[in-house]
Amino acid sequence: MSVKEGLKYCKSIHQRIKNLQKFFRLPKQAQRLRKAQLEINEHNIFVNENSEVPTSPLDVLTDTKTRWNSTFIAWKRILELHNTMHYVSTTLLSQNDRASNKEGEKLESLCLTHEEKM
């Protein structure tokens, strides 16, 4: 119960994270997120030089009401994927079609700012 009480103090961020979770629960958006992670990892190959197994893409997690720590774990995953989500929104905004631009605008409005992330 105390976790729910604490979340009341950051209601706007909590709602945006829930909306991010909904956005990336859609198969098309989840696929874009995975593809973006692979592209980022490919460009940062030197980071993974020492590891034998390439990092696999992460999915957005959702919290469960009956598991108090699931909210913490879901928020932590959002923070891990923060840069990738911004990469996806930038990629969508750079597309020539209106539908992609609209999705990019929506995602950009949902993403946490750098200050909120900190």
Side-chain angles (χ1 to χ4, degrees), residues 34-48:
R34 283 187 221 104
K35 181 181 175 193
Q37 290 175 74
L38 292 172
E39 288 174 10
I40 290 170
N41 285 340
E42 184 179 302
H43 293 297
N44 294 327
I45 197 75
F46 60 89
V47 173
N48 296 327

Side-chain angles (χ1 to χ4, degrees), residues 10 13 28 31 54 58-60 64 68 78 87 95 97 104:
C10 53
I13 291 177
K28 184 177 182 180
Q31 181 181 8
L58 301 173
D59 290 321
V60 171
T64 307
W68 69 266
I78 292 288
Y87 178 84
Q95 302 286 321
D97 64 294

Side-chain angles (χ1 to χ4, degrees), residues 61-97:
L61 301 174
T62 55
D63 48 344
T64 307
K65 290 180 182 180
T66 57
R67 303 277 181 224
W68 69 266
N69 64 338
S70 68
T71 301
F72 170 75
I73 293 167
W75 282 40
K76 186 177 175 187
R77 178 62 59 88
I78 292 288
L79 293 177
E80 289 174 39
L81 294 171
H82 179 260
N83 292 337
T84 307
M85 290 177 180
H86 276 288
Y87 178 84
V88 171
S89 71
T90 303
T91 303
L92 288 170
L93 289 170
S94 68
Q95 302 286 321
N96 290 331
D97 64 294

Side-chain angles (χ1 to χ4, degrees), residues 98-112:
R98 181 68 187 137
S100 295
N101 286 180
K102 206 168 185 174
E103 289 175 342
E105 290 169 4
K106 180 179 179 179
L107 179 55
E108 189 68 29
S109 70
L110 293 175
C111 284
L112 301 176

